[in-house]
Amino acid sequence: MAESETPKTRPRPLVRLGIFLISHSLLVSVVCCTAGVLALLLLPVLAKNTYISENALMPGSANAMLSSEDISEAHRFMNDLTGLNLKTGETGIESSRLIARYMSDLGADVNYHKFHPQPNQFRPLHFFSNSDSRIIQENICCSSHGVNTVGIIRAPRGDGKEAIVLVTPYNSHKIDLAEALSLAIAYSVFSLLTRVTWLAKDIIWLAADSKYGEYASVSAWLRDYQTPVFGDFEKPYSEICCESNARHGLKESEITERKISDVFRRAGTMAAALVIKVSDGNKQADGTLSIYAEASNGQMPNLDLINIVNNLAVHRQGLQVKVEKLLSLLDSKWLRILGEVFESVGNIARSLNPQWKFGIPAADYMEGAATLASSLYYQALGVPTGSHGAFRDYQVDAITLEISPKVALNNKIRQTEFLQRGGRLIEGVIRSVNNLLEKFHQSFFLYLLTSPSKFVSVGVYMIAFALLVAPLPIVAASLYSDANKWDSSLKKHDPTSSPKSADDEHRNILRSWKWLYAAKQVFIIHSWGVLVSLLPYLICQMPNWMSKVLTWLILGSPIIDADASQSQKREWAILKSVTISAAFIGLCLMSVINFATAEIGALLLVPMCLLAHPLRLDVRAHSLKAFTRAGCNLVLGFIGFPPAAFFVLKGSFEGFESVNISDFWNWIESLWAWNSATYLYIGMVHLPCWALCIWILLHPC
Amino acid sequence: MDTPSVVLYRFQGDSEVELFVGGLKMGSFFRFRAFLLLIFAVTHLCCNSVAYGSSSASSSSTTMHTNNWAVLVCTSRFWFNYRHMANTLSLYRTVKRLGIPDERIILMLADDMACNARNKYPAQVFNNENHRLNLYGDNVEVDYRGYEVTVENFLRVLTGRHETAVPRSKRLLSDEGSHILLYMTGHGGDEFLKFQDSEELQSHDLADAVKQMKEKRRFKELLIMVDTCQAATLFSQLHSPGVLAIGSSMKGENSYSHHLDSDVGVSVVDRFTFYTLAFFEKLNMYDNASLSSLFGSYNPNMLMSTAYYRMDLYERRLEEVPVTNFFGSVMETIHTVSAYRAPSGKNSDKDKIKLSLDQSVGLDKKRTLTSSNVQDQINNSNTKDQLGVFEHLWCTFLNKAEKIEDVDILVNYGLVIMLPLVAVFTWLSR
């Protein structure tokens, strides 16, 4: 210890500060945790207005050129598409052929892209190494392929090195009105872009066959786009399967379809991608544009892309832009009270000094908080919110634009007006992105949205997380030094051990390495966590009976291990110290991979880890403080269990009546299927830490 | 021959014609001159006091303004900086219209907006949304384009320190009689101007280059016009005499674009340049608008910034300087009093025209140009008033000399007179 050896030479200020913090660890942890939660709640207040950061974009500086001819053409196209539904027969092929014909009539290069939906495969390391194994199963059924139709306009004076992608997912079996409208919007823009002289980037229109899901078709196309195949690797199934289709597809008019081919066509690197959708319901959304941006593992497209769309939609097309929000939060009373408190604090501050303008109205605060919560949740989930997520895997900025018509689109005039608005919006965005010289790089990639035009940047939201996890190392150090001190003081009082001997020295050394036992314990539990998270993968690989045995074996293994070794009385403190260190490391690692997961995880883990105290000691203590602590521990221990946490959160947001036991399994399975890092976090950080905390609670002291 | 002795120069290009007219009788002049000098040596010893050598030692401040150059620089790349190229091309068009020939304009454009794929009107550049005037027509000679527009090349152009391979068309071949217009536009800041998104010209770089130019007598007067943000800061280090500087904005101010062409999709002109052009559109090369009227035409409310001009280094009063002194190629109108005074080396500004020939011809020396027929102008009352006693005598002598019909006869008479003189001298020296 520092104080025992050198009373004269004072340690350096940084060391002194460290010792001070460690000695006041309780106060520090209470203050830091409170401040962390408060900072998180303050984020909607601290949100800044978005701004177009990249000068080159210049959204809205050019007049929309989309004319009524384009619209009427698109209308004709839409009628043809919906007309196909009435006819019986293979609409799947018919619709893609119709789209291809319309595309090539405009003068675009057109090709069909046939793909087979890839079965969801758990690749635990998918987000570390994007090793794209092109799995071709031998027994692919020829009928089970989707057909994307791809049209490419070459920029007349561009260098052909860059491209902008438009994606319109549609179900080739049955095209409903909404899908037809989204295709028509893309068509109107496409037909305009074949005529304009200002294109600097190629335009790719991908009519994605969403028969097997939107994401699957888009990601299949992207995979083929980004990994060119040379030689005859791809030949087999394109020949076997598509022969029949191609045969009767090409029979009638060779001339009109000369530009349509099965050869995969490419343009340059993608600058941006826009997924266009039209929401079919006349639900609550009228005349709005919803933006979905979250890709896998909380990755977001560059904020500038959202800014352009927001700017053009609000100021040019008069659409109301919205992003996802947790609607249930809007009704919550405590949030309203909090908002009012912040508002009044802001008002007081403004009355003191008019320069201070940080208060926002309570209603704005609630909106912001609801949007922020949803933004945080969808990022934490790590599952893309739409087919734009496939683009993010290739570092292409992409968003989904879901346009909701104001009224039911039954008559033609309404449809025309809708097409015009949507088309002009898309045209404006494309023209703006067309002005771009490089990839999007100027604005933020790490941000949380609190409204379509407000964001919290990484520099601000990191503060909340940093405050939350700051007490962990301090408490760990304090617990460790306390345990050592306690041992040495115990030794002093013990008269037998007063004479110093070689044996005593030896024991001293052993004691200083005592944390290794605890570390071993923690390591075993974490290895168990790894096994648990690999369980679904193992189950897939093994025969049925064996997998069941294995499951029970793995899930039960810590219980067997639990009563293996407890020797010393103060061991739980060392164990807690190591647990806290492990949680700290896990949270910090996770914050790098997916910040939102780490933030939510820290909210659950940090209080649980910090408060963990053996129940038996608390019961023995017979004080109010001890009982309160025991109660808190029980509650936190319950909430900390991942399924319990899921049900509590889901119940509090959506009402408990809708909660179903299978929901958790579905939720976990979706995380697993989408290769979310959150799944690994739950399995390898959260679950072991929870188990260790429970162990500490049940520690036999 | 009835060529008037009052020679009004409008265009630099015309000067060679004038020289030719003057040169017709060159041969007879020399003989005549030799004779006259001899007479002077004999009769008026005081004539020697009029120094011959003074003309060669004369400083450039007393040199006549003989030619005009323009260096027009657009320093920024990229499509969204369309307006900077349009600014520069507009000014190029204006100075060309007001009489600076293409060979004396160094045009530096950092990017080619006309051929940018994003340009809705390929190969055309407009500075107004009405699209009436294509600035990128047939007769645009861009001297430095694209990545050639660097700080290094810019400083080389100003100081004339080129590599040997650089063609003459890319050099600023000005001399001590030159008026130079230096126009720069781009993105600037406090004491710098950004070149090409990668480097900067700092105010002391500019000041240093100007100082070198001054020392190398590359200009008589220099007008620096800058349309950038915080343009005034670029002039802070200048201290060479004869430099006049005007910038679009003060320190801490931005310069704004004038309007957006929603057809092309970009801003097409900056405010400062727009109002400069608006001023010049009303002028033709014969107009006498002064620099002060140009500088006074900038309205801070319209510019949304404060135009700043620095004239502490400039000697002349702005009210007396026509804008065409810089933006055109108009010299002062000069009445030559006599054809014969000039060869004597007399250095009175009013009565002498020096013509600097292009160095390209290799004739560095200055020649004094006079006209052969001076009879009519000698009696000109205006000029006579200003003549001194000596000049009066000179004129009367000349009047007599004019009476002699034929120069050859005169020469012969002179030779005849010389014979007795020689005889007298030989007799005396014996």
Side-chain angles (χ1 to χ4, degrees):
Chain A
M1 292 290 105
E3 62 264 36
S4 62
E5 56 188 40
T6 51
K8 289 172 201 168
T9 55
R10 288 161 62 84
R12 284 197 274 171
L14 200 63
V15 179
R16 282 218 308 277
L17 181 70
I19 291 167
F20 175 79
L21 285 180
I22 287 167
S23 58
H24 296 82
S25 63
L26 180 68
L27 183 70
V28 168
S29 51
V30 168
V31 167
C32 278
C33 284
T34 321
V37 175
L38 199 67
L40 187 64
L41 291 173
L42 266 175
L43 286 185
V45 182
L46 299 174
K48 285 190 287 186
N49 285 325
T50 55
Y51 53 93
I52 308 278
S53 183
E54 172 69 85
N55 283 330
L57 288 171
M58 303 183 289
S61 62
N63 281 340
M65 293 167 70
L66 197 71
S67 62
S68 49
E69 285 96 74
D70 295 312
I71 302 296
S72 57
E73 276 294 296
H75 215 272
R76 195 162 60 82
F77 170 66
M78 194 178 85
N79 287 338
D80 284 2
L81 267 180
T82 45
L84 279 180
N85 278 345
L86 303 176
K87 294 181 210 159
T88 52
E90 295 178 284
T91 52
I93 292 156
E94 286 299 312
S95 59
S96 63
R97 281 191 48 230
L98 181 78
I99 294 168
R101 206 186 68 227
Y102 267 89
M103 281 177 178
S104 76
D105 283 350
L106 290 175
D109 292 351
V110 185
N111 75 294
Y112 296 116
H113 169 247
K114 294 170 187 68
F115 66 97
H116 298 271
Q118 285 210 331
N120 277 328
Q121 287 260 325
F122 179 58
R123 292 183 291 275
L125 298 178
H126 180 79
F127 64 91
F128 287 127
S129 64
N130 212 340
S131 60
D132 192 30
S133 52
R134 183 186 292 264
I135 307 150
I136 294 196
Q137 283 145 317
E138 283 83 38
N139 54 353
I140 283 177
C141 175
C142 280
S143 61
S144 76
H145 66 77
V147 181
N148 291 333
T149 316
V150 185
I152 299 176
I153 304 174
R154 310 285 174 188
R157 285 177 297 133
D159 53 6
K161 298 288 194 292
E162 286 174 306
I164 303 169
V165 187
L166 286 177
V167 183
T168 47
Y170 74 103
N171 188 344
S172 58
H173 278 315
K174 190 183 182 311
I175 301 175
D176 60 14
L177 183 65
E179 282 170 346
L181 275 169
S182 70
L183 283 165
I185 288 175
Y187 178 80
S188 65
V189 176
F190 205 67
S191 75
L192 167 75
L193 295 178
T194 49
R195 298 198 314 267
V196 296
T197 51
W198 43 259
L199 273 188
K201 295 172 171 35
D202 297 345
I203 305 293
I204 306 175
W205 175 19
L206 171 66
D209 187 353
S210 64
K211 198 161 40 175
Y212 302 105
E214 292 168 16
Y215 189 90
S217 55
V218 175
S219 74
W221 177 75
L222 271 172
R223 202 166 45 238
D224 288 346
Y225 190 96
Q226 303 285 1
T227 50
V229 175
F230 302 101
D232 52 359
F233 181 52
E234 210 178 19
K235 283 272 157 66
Y237 71 60
S238 64
E239 275 177 6
I240 298 162
C241 300
C242 311
E243 200 109 31
S244 56
N245 303 332
R247 191 71 26 95
H248 66 81
L250 287 172
K251 66 187 171 202
E252 74 252 77
S253 53
E254 286 283 336
I255 309 116
T256 52
E257 304 200 2
R258 69 187 183 280
K259 280 190 155 180
I260 307 171
S261 69
D262 284 330
V263 177
F264 199 92
R265 287 183 197 270
R266 290 185 174 80
T269 56
M270 298 172 204
L274 301 170
V275 182
I276 305 160
K277 290 173 77 175
V278 176
S279 74
D280 43 355
N282 314 320
K283 292 171 285 184
Q284 78 285 11
D286 49 341
T288 58
L289 172 74
S290 308
I291 298 178
Y292 299 94
E294 288 87 0
S296 58
N297 287 319
Q299 297 180 85
M300 298 291 279
N302 197 291
L303 189 54
D304 265 345
L305 186 59
I306 294 175
N307 291 346
I308 304 171
V309 174
N310 184 42
N311 187 314
L312 288 172
V314 171
H315 296 121
R316 295 276 152 168
Q317 303 307 326
L319 289 164
Q320 190 194 341
V321 181
K322 52 174 213 165
V323 287
E324 281 284 276
K325 55 183 129 186
L326 284 181
L327 291 171
S328 57
L329 271 182
L330 289 178
D331 309 328
S332 69
K333 285 214 175 60
W334 64 271
L335 200 67
R336 177 172 297 281
I337 293 165
L338 202 66
E340 275 158 10
V341 168
F342 283 137
E343 187 183 355
S344 55
V345 168
N347 286 339
I348 292 165
R350 199 172 305 140
S351 67
L352 290 176
N353 185 348
Q355 302 284 310
W356 295 341
K357 290 177 196 153
F358 59 81
I360 58 169
D364 285 4
Y365 176 80
M366 288 182 66
E367 289 271 326
T371 316
L372 182 79
S374 128
S375 183
L376 208 58
Y377 172 70
Y378 283 110
Q379 286 191 26
L381 211 55
V383 176
T385 47
S387 45
H388 57 267
F391 286 93
R392 191 66 230 166
D393 294 343
Y394 299 94
Q395 309 303 317
V396 178
D397 296 289
I399 51 173
T400 295
L401 309 176
E402 191 177 88
I403 312 170
S404 320
K406 201 174 280 178
V407 282
L409 295 172
N410 296 326
N411 66 26
K412 196 184 164 186
I413 300 158
R414 297 247 184 261
Q415 285 174 354
T416 307
E417 197 229 13
F418 177 75
L419 285 178
Q420 183 156 340
R421 269 184 162 188
R424 289 198 166 160
L425 172 68
I426 303 297
E427 184 209 334
V429 176
I430 286 181
R431 185 145 195 191
S432 179
V433 175
N434 183 55
N435 286 339
L436 201 64
L437 299 155
E438 297 152 302
K439 273 169 71 95
F440 280 102
H441 66 280
Q442 198 82 25
S443 195
F444 292 91
F445 284 100
L446 302 169
Y447 57 91
L448 296 166
L449 289 175
T450 64
S451 88
S453 59
K454 281 194 156 192
F455 75 105
V456 185
S457 78
V458 58
V460 177
Y461 69 58
M462 275 306 277
I463 295 171
F465 177 74
L467 283 171
L468 264 181
V469 297
L472 291 180
I474 292 168
V475 170
S478 130
L479 276 173
Y480 178 73
S481 68
D482 280 355
N484 273 357
K485 234 182 282 174
W486 198 79
D487 275 352
S488 54
S489 63
L490 194 77
K491 194 178 66 188
K492 268 177 207 154
H493 290 296
D494 199 357
T496 53
S497 64
S498 47
K500 284 218 165 197
S501 63
D503 185 43
D504 206 47
E505 283 288 308
H506 182 66
R507 206 181 302 158
N508 251 342
I509 292 164
L510 272 186
R511 194 177 298 124
S512 66
W513 285 97
K514 200 173 53 184
W515 61 271
L516 271 181
Y517 296 116
K520 190 193 80 182
Q521 213 89 349
V522 170
F523 177 74
I524 288 169
I525 296 290
H526 275 267
S527 324
W528 170 75
V530 172
L531 272 182
V532 169
S533 43
L534 288 179
L535 206 56
Y537 180 68
L538 296 175
I539 290 170
C540 290
Q541 302 292 318
M542 303 214 177
N544 202 15
W545 64 272
M546 204 170 153
S547 67
K548 269 183 189 157
V549 171
L550 192 82
T551 312
W552 291 116
L553 215 66
I554 289 174
L555 289 178
S557 56
I559 301 160
I560 302 158
D561 190 58
D563 47 14
S565 64
Q566 325 93 22
S567 51
Q568 293 175 33
K569 275 203 152 190
R570 294 293 293 180
E571 204 213 5
W572 71 269
I574 300 280
L575 182 65
K576 185 180 170 185
S577 152
V578 179
T579 307
I580 287 174
S581 313
F584 177 68
I585 293 167
L587 283 173
C588 286
L589 282 178
M590 196 56 212
S591 74
V592 177
I593 296 164
N594 187 347
F595 172 80
T597 311
E599 175 74 53
I600 294 176
L603 280 177
L604 291 171
L605 257 190
V606 169
M608 185 169 73
C609 285
L610 290 181
L611 277 176
H613 197 262
L615 287 174
R616 200 171 291 186
L617 288 180
D618 278 341
V619 171
R620 253 186 255 150
H622 287 298
S623 71
L624 183 65
K625 184 187 156 198
F627 277 124
T628 325
R629 182 162 58 190
C632 282
N633 270 328
L634 284 175
V635 170
L636 286 172
F638 173 69
I639 289 179
F641 186 48
F646 175 78
F647 288 125
V648 166
L649 285 177
K650 194 173 161 64
S652 60
F653 286 132
E654 294 173 16
F656 281 95
E657 62 273 10
S658 66
V659 175
N660 195 348
I661 289 297
S662 62
D663 283 353
F664 178 68
W665 180 249
N666 289 339
W667 185 73
I668 282 290
E669 201 176 3
S670 79
L671 291 187
W672 169 72
W674 288 101
N675 296 305
S676 170
T678 307
Y679 176 78
L680 289 187
Y681 166 79
I682 291 173
M684 289 160 71
V685 180
H686 191 94
L687 190 65
C689 286
W690 171 80
L692 284 164
C693 285
I694 294 298
W695 194 349
I696 292 165
L697 289 187
L698 303 175
H699 200 278
C701 302
Chain B
M1 247 187 172
D2 49 18
T3 314
S5 70
V6 179
V7 184
L8 181 68
Y9 292 154
R10 293 288 183 191
F11 293 100
Q12 311 277 294
D14 295 346
S15 57
E16 287 186 39
V17 180
E18 301 290 339
L19 179 72
F20 180 67
V21 171
L24 278 176
K25 291 211 167 178
M26 207 59 98
S28 56
F29 270 145
F30 283 133
R31 269 185 283 167
F32 182 45
R33 196 161 70 181
F35 160 72
L36 286 178
L37 285 176
L38 197 65
I39 301 297
F40 266 84
V42 175
T43 53
H44 301 283
L45 284 169
C46 64
C47 190
N48 292 336
S49 67
V50 181
Y52 253 99
S54 66
S55 76
S56 64
S58 68
S59 74
S60 62
S61 61
T62 54
T63 317
M64 281 300 299
H65 166 210
T66 53
N67 58 77
N68 268 85
W69 287 81
V71 180
L72 311 174
V73 192
C74 156
T75 63
S76 43
R77 290 190 77 72
F78 305 136
W79 173 242
F80 62 94
N81 291 323
Y82 183 98
R83 62 183 189 280
H84 293 148
M85 184 174 162
N87 285 346
T88 316
L89 282 173
S90 317
L91 219 67
Y92 171 79
R93 178 184 164 276
T94 301
V95 296
K96 243 172 108 171
R97 187 174 64 84
L98 293 179
I100 304 184
D102 231 339
E103 61 189 31
R104 303 214 166 170
I105 302 175
I106 309 286
L107 180 60
M108 306 174 95
L109 297 178
D111 203 348
D112 188 1
M113 298 308 168
C115 297
N116 194 306
R118 295 166 184 87
N119 193 348
K120 191 181 170 187
Y121 300 95
Q124 298 180 68
V125 175
F126 300 103
N127 69 352
N128 200 312
E129 62 182 339
N130 60 23
H131 294 175
R132 258 191 247 135
L133 179 65
N134 174 22
L135 298 168
Y136 211 67
D138 297 331
N139 294 315
V140 178
E141 281 179 27
V142 186
D143 297 295
Y144 290 81
R145 62 170 75 238
Y147 288 113
E148 286 180 337
V149 182
T150 57
V151 172
E152 183 189 333
N153 277 343
F154 174 70
L155 294 178
R156 281 183 187 281
V157 165
L158 288 190
T159 55
R161 297 172 192 270
H162 290 283
E163 296 192 7
T164 46
V166 173
R168 296 179 49 79
S169 65
K170 296 174 104 171
R171 296 179 187 227
L172 178 69
L173 301 167
S174 57
D175 57 49
E176 59 186 320
S178 302
H179 279 195
I180 301 179
L181 167 71
L182 171 58
Y183 173 84
M184 293 188 280
T185 181
H187 290 284
D190 193 359
E191 304 223 345
F192 73 86
L193 169 61
K194 199 169 81 169
F195 266 68
Q196 292 275 3
D197 227 30
S198 59
E199 46 182 0
E200 287 163 2
L201 173 80
Q202 302 207 340
S203 58
H204 52 78
D205 296 334
L206 180 68
D208 185 50
V210 170
K211 193 174 180 187
Q212 283 189 48
M213 287 171 79
K214 189 74 199 172
E215 281 170 3
K216 294 172 84 174
R217 293 190 191 157
R218 287 173 63 76
F219 67 86
K220 177 166 156 40
E221 284 173 14
L222 173 65
L223 172 61
I224 305 178
M225 186 177 237
V226 179
D227 188 353
T228 68
C229 295
Q230 311 197 42
T233 58
L234 205 61
F235 311 138
S236 58
Q237 310 287 333
L238 292 174
H239 51 263
S240 306
V243 179
L244 183 63
I246 176 152
S248 59
S249 49
M250 304 284 282
K251 183 174 180 175
E253 282 182 343
N254 288 333
S255 295
Y256 293 98
S257 63
H258 183 262
H259 67 272
L260 180 94
D261 182 343
S262 51
D263 206 13
V264 182
V266 283
S267 301
V268 286
V269 69
D270 279 318
R271 284 179 176 265
F272 177 76
T273 306
F274 180 86
Y275 290 108
T276 308
L277 294 173
F279 177 84
F280 280 112
E281 279 311 302
K282 292 183 296 228
L283 299 184
N284 62 31
M285 64 173 90
Y286 304 106
D287 277 316
N288 279 327
S290 68
L291 276 179
S292 67
S293 67
L294 168 66
F295 291 178
S297 73
Y298 298 123
N299 180 355
N301 294 329
M302 305 288 256
L303 291 184
M304 295 167 76
S305 61
T306 324
Y308 164 87
Y309 39 96
R310 181 173 170 191
M311 43 189 202
D312 54 335
L313 302 168
Y314 194 69
E315 294 122 1
R316 292 200 281 164
R317 296 182 57 218
L318 293 186
E319 293 81 35
E320 292 165 0
V321 185
V323 284
T324 43
N325 258 355
F326 288 102
F327 292 89
S329 193
V330 180
M331 313 293 149
E332 217 171 324
T333 305
I334 291 148
H335 303 269
T336 45
V337 175
S338 88
Y340 309 113
R341 262 191 60 258
S344 70
K346 189 118 173 26
N347 225 7
S348 155
D349 278 356
K350 286 269 178 184
D351 304 331
K352 198 176 73 176
I353 300 164
K354 280 193 174 176
L355 171 70
S356 133
L357 285 175
D358 214 27
Q359 291 169 3
S360 61
V361 199
L363 303 169
D364 297 309
K365 60 189 174 187
K366 296 187 181 55
R367 288 198 189 161
T368 309
L369 180 72
T370 54
S371 179
S372 60
N373 293 14
V374 289
Q375 296 98 318
D376 299 340
Q377 262 61 37
I378 283 161
N379 296 324
N380 188 326
S381 59
N382 281 353
T383 50
K384 223 171 178 180
D385 295 340
Q386 299 165 359
L387 297 179
V389 179
F390 169 72
E391 280 159 332
H392 193 73
L393 285 170
W394 175 234
C395 284
T396 50
F397 176 77
L398 278 178
N399 276 336
K400 283 173 188 164
E402 295 309 327
K403 299 226 168 69
I404 300 159
E405 295 294 327
D406 194 349
V407 178
D408 287 337
I409 297 168
L410 186 75
V411 171
N412 292 338
Y413 278 130
L415 288 173
V416 169
I417 293 166
M418 278 183 77
L419 284 173
L421 274 171
V422 170
V424 167
F425 277 114
T426 48
W427 178 74
L428 282 174
S429 63
R430 180 120 30 103

